[in-house]
């Protein structure tokens, strides 16, 4: 199977998008020409855009697809932010670059109108947990535009044996979580074992690490009725204080080659608790090399304050057919193959959680991964990540909503400043200037609800976009994370400082 290089894909995307735009100016008299071109395209490999980590894990499975379907499939593997950026370009221009695209569930509202409606999916969607199948369309009553193929869920994980050594049980609220993490750090800090860890290498990870804490305090990022961001509410401020306390206890992450992520540290047994942990991590933990005898993993709903229900959160990925695809029939064949029970079961062997409930009941898979029935329970009881019309509104306006909101915030003393290529704010009287020389990551991380302003290599603010008449909401994170320079020199784990 042929693999496209990233450079070739980017060049191809630019060329095909340009061609698509020019093609829009053609007259109806060239219809026969376009039909001939479409016929020629049938000889091309089917082009599939995947998240890089998914493509890597699925490589043995993807190598069998040509034999199964009878035509060549070419996969394009992109990192999270790059995949989002490419889809923003290709889908909105209706370019024929990709025939099948893999979408994070929070992207569906933004891209639903640029995907081909998928009919006759009722039988498959009936085999998927209801909360996951509902993610396949936006608005909810519309026809499905994509189908779930990956059933990830986010939940709280802990090492009960660690907690038991100090006479503790799994925490039920976030104040207990901070308290227990400090106790573990103080008791085992000399052995370089951490009580809690968050992921902080990318803005996307920071977002996913903060959301369960925010929800645990009874607040949503954006009010579903008024569309007003809630980051400046008392609940959000209390959640941010907990988030910063836990970040201070977390091992420092480095993007350097060979350095483990905090998820990998938990999998290997050197971290006691995490909130930004996913079903795929539990599957990977079964084959991880243990650095410390930490016992089994306990997977539960996220801690929550009194009277707030404990939750898990969806992290599903869905497959759709771009409106610009010239091979829609073959694309549908590929999606049917990807969502077949046989392939869904095979995903477990690739350490990827399937969306099909039947795969979780496979006896051979359960023998290899005993946690599967519990993972299905966590997935079926999960709550979707924020999905709003605001996300869909960005389809027409690009990043303008977020960028204009930042412009209006320039005069506010505590507001994060933007210094991207498209919106620069010079230092002047009454305007504190940009937080750093780094590029602003606002609305470029792939999160369609809120993003992180980057400063000096460290996240500096959580910013929620809002309609133009409201303005942004933000939480200052300037003291939450050490700079990358400090991370290079520091390998010791924080223990309550």
């Amino acid at each position: 199977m042929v693999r496209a290089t990233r450079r070739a894909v980017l060049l191809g995307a630019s060329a095909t998008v340009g061609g698509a735009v020019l093609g829009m100016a053609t007259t109806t008299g060239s219809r026969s020409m376009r039909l001939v071109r479409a016929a020629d395209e049938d000889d091309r490999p089917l082009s599939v855009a995947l998240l890089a980590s998914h493509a890597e894990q699925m490589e043995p499975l993807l190598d069998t697809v040509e034999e199964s379907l009878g035509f060549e499939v070419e996969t394009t593997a992109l990192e999270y932010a790059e995949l989002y950026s490419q889809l923003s370009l290709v889908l909105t221009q209706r370019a024929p670059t990709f025939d099948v695209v893999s979408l994070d569930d929070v992207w569906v509202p933004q891209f639903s109108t640029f995907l081909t409606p998928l009919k006759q999916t009722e039988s498959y969607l009936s085999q998927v947990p209801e909360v996951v199948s509902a993610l396949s369309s936006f608005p909810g009553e519309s026809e499905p535009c994509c189908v779930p193929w990956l059933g990830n869920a986010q939940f709280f994980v802990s090492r009960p044996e660690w907690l038991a050594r100090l006479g503790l049980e799994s925490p039920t609220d976030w104040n207990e979580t901070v308290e227990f993490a400090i106790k573990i750090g103080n008791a085992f800090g000399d052995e370089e074992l951490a009580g809690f860890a968050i992921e902080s290498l990318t803005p996307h990870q920071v977002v996913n690490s903060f959301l369960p804490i925010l929800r645990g305090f009874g607040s949503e990022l954006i009010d579903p009725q008024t569309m007003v961001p809630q980051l400046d509410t008392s609940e959000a401020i209390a959640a941010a204080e907990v988030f910063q306390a836990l970040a201070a206890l977390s091992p420092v992450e480095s993007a350097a080659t060979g350095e483990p992520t905090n998820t990998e540290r938990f999998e290997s047994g050197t971290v006691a608790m995490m909130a930004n942990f996913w079903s795929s991590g539990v599957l990977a933990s079964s084959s991880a090399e243990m650095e410390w005898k930490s016992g089994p993993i306990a997977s539960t709903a996220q801690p929550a304050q009194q009277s707030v229900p404990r939750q898990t959160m969806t992290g599903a990925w869905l497959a759709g057919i771009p409106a610009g695809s010239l091979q829609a029939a073959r694309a549908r064949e590929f999606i049917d193959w990807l969502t077949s029970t046989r392939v869904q079961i095979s995903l477990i062997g690739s350490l990827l959680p399937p969306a099909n409930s039947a795969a979780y009941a496979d006896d051979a898979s359960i023998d290899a991964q005993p946690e599967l029935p519990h993972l299905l329970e966590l997935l079926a009881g999960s709550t979707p990540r924020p999905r709003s019309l605001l996300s869909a509104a960005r389809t027409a306006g690009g990043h303008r909503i977020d960028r204009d909101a930042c412009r209006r915030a320039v005069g506010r003393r505590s507001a994060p400043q933007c210094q991207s290529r498209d919106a620069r704010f010079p230092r002047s009287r009454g305007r504190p200037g940009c937080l750093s020389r780094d590029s602003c990551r606002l609305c470029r991380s792939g999160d369609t609800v809120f993003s992180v302003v980057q400063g000096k290599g460290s996240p500096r603010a959580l910013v929620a976009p809002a309609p133009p008449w409201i303005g942004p909401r933000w939480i200052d994170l300037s003291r939450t994370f050490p700079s990358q320079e400090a991370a290079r020199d520091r390998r010791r784990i924080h223990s309550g400082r």
Side-chain angles (χ1 to χ4, degrees):
M1 180 174 56
V2 178
R3 293 280 196 273
T5 65
R6 181 171 298 177
R7 177 177 176 81
V9 169
L10 294 176
L11 291 174
S14 301
T16 51
V17 168
V21 173
L22 291 175
M24 292 171 64
T26 59
T27 63
T28 55
S30 61
R31 181 180 176 187
S32 59
M33 248 173 141
R34 290 199 300 270
L35 291 175
V36 172
R37 179 173 176 244
D40 292 340
E41 294 290 346
D42 288 342
D43 296 331
R44 289 174 43 187
L46 191 78
S47 179
V48 179
L50 290 171
L51 186 68
S53 59
H54 295 165
E56 181 180 0
Q57 291 174 262
M58 292 175 63
E59 187 168 357
L61 188 59
L62 291 170
D63 286 340
T64 69
V65 67
E66 184 175 349
E67 181 180 351
S68 300
L69 300 181
F71 52 81
E72 187 178 356
V73 174
E74 182 179 79
T75 59
T76 301
L78 300 168
E79 298 297 335
Y80 189 91
E82 193 175 5
L83 177 61
Y84 174 78
S85 177
Q86 284 294 301
L87 295 187
S88 297
L89 175 69
V90 171
L91 294 183
T92 56
Q93 296 293 339
R94 288 181 164 79
T97 309
F98 301 126
D99 301 300
V100 177
V101 293
S102 183
L103 305 159
D104 195 1
D105 63 53
V106 294
W107 300 347
V108 174
Q110 182 175 353
F111 296 132
S112 59
T113 57
F114 302 105
L115 297 171
T116 301
L118 295 179
K119 299 180 180 180
Q120 299 177 346
T121 59
E122 294 81 2
S123 59
Y124 172 71
L125 291 178
S126 66
Q127 303 174 51
V128 175
E130 184 176 356
V131 65
V132 179
S133 64
L135 301 172
S136 62
S137 58
F138 188 88
E141 65 276 5
S142 60
E143 196 169 19
C145 61
C146 47
V147 292
W149 69 273
L150 195 67
N152 235 345
Q154 185 202 55
F155 40 80
F156 189 84
V157 287
S158 62
R159 297 280 186 178
E161 287 191 12
W162 274 47
L163 296 169
R165 293 178 195 177
L166 300 178
L168 305 174
E169 296 181 354
S170 182
T172 59
D173 63 46
W174 288 107
N175 293 332
E176 279 190 349
T177 305
V178 175
E179 177 187 348
F180 293 178
I182 292 174
K183 288 182 177 180
I184 291 173
N186 290 336
F188 303 109
D190 291 341
E191 302 174 68
E192 295 199 357
L193 305 178
F196 191 90
I198 68 168
E199 289 187 306
S200 60
L201 289 178
T202 68
H204 175 61
Q205 291 174 345
V206 175
V207 168
N208 282 337
S209 295
F210 179 68
L211 271 179
I213 302 175
L214 180 65
R215 287 184 161 187
F217 276 82
S219 180
E220 285 289 347
L221 184 66
I222 294 178
D223 186 291
Q225 302 301 323
T226 64
M227 301 295 290
V228 176
Q230 302 296 298
L231 282 183
D232 55 357
T233 62
S234 59
E235 293 85 0
I237 293 171
E241 291 175 353
V242 167
F243 181 60
Q244 291 177 324
L246 290 172
L249 300 170
S250 178
V252 176
E253 288 188 299
S254 172
T257 303
E259 288 291 321
T261 65
N262 280 341
T263 296
E264 291 170 338
R265 288 186 173 113
F266 181 87
E267 292 170 356
S268 65
T270 59
V271 170
M273 298 180 290
M274 282 193 75
N276 183 25
F277 204 80
W278 302 83
S279 307
S280 53
V282 172
L283 298 179
S285 297
S286 63
S287 58
E289 183 178 346
M290 298 295 293
E291 296 181 17
W292 190 264
K293 295 180 180 180
S294 302
I297 296 173
S299 306
T300 64
Q302 301 283 1
Q305 304 309 96
Q306 189 175 9
S307 76
V308 178
R310 300 179 65 178
Q311 304 178 56
T312 58
M313 192 167 65
T314 60
W317 284 79
L318 303 95
I321 303 174
S325 170
L326 300 177
Q327 304 191 73
R330 285 184 173 179
R332 182 58 189 265
E333 286 185 55
F334 177 85
I335 291 177
D336 290 342
W337 171 84
L338 183 62
T339 56
S340 65
T341 302
R342 179 184 66 83
V343 173
Q344 288 282 291
I345 292 173
S346 298
L347 288 177
I348 298 172
S350 299
L351 306 181
L352 292 171
N356 191 334
S357 300
Y360 289 86
D362 179 65
D363 291 336
S365 298
I366 293 176
D367 289 341
Q369 297 281 359
E371 287 287 323
L372 282 175
H374 185 51
L375 292 180
L376 179 59
E377 292 178 11
L378 294 171
L379 176 63
S382 60
T383 303
R385 285 177 287 177
R387 287 158 58 92
S388 67
L389 289 172
L390 178 61
S391 305
R394 288 176 54 190
T395 298
H399 301 309
R400 190 180 309 145
I401 292 176
D402 289 343
R403 192 170 296 128
D404 288 348
C406 270
R407 287 195 178 101
R408 286 190 300 279
V410 172
R412 304 183 187 185
R413 181 172 299 176
S414 60
Q417 305 303 305
C418 179
Q419 192 184 22
S420 68
R421 290 179 300 174
D422 306 300
R424 294 184 180 274
F425 295 105
R427 184 179 299 276
S428 61
R429 181 175 299 179
R431 296 184 178 186
C434 184
L435 288 170
S436 76
R437 295 180 180 178
D438 294 344
S439 174
C440 173
R441 298 276 183 93
L442 184 63
C443 69
R444 296 182 182 183
S445 69
D447 290 287
T448 57
V449 180
F450 77 115
S451 304
V452 179
V453 172
Q454 202 83 355
K456 295 183 179 178
S458 303
R460 288 303 173 102
L462 294 172
V463 181
W469 59 88
I470 295 175
R473 299 292 188 272
W474 62 86
I475 288 178
D476 183 20
L477 296 180
S478 58
R479 293 182 299 276
T480 300
F481 301 99
S483 66
Q484 288 184 354
E485 290 78 6
R488 294 192 189 102
D489 301 327
R490 192 171 184 182
R491 294 293 181 264
R492 297 290 295 176
I493 292 175
H494 293 284
S495 59
R497 293 190 296 273

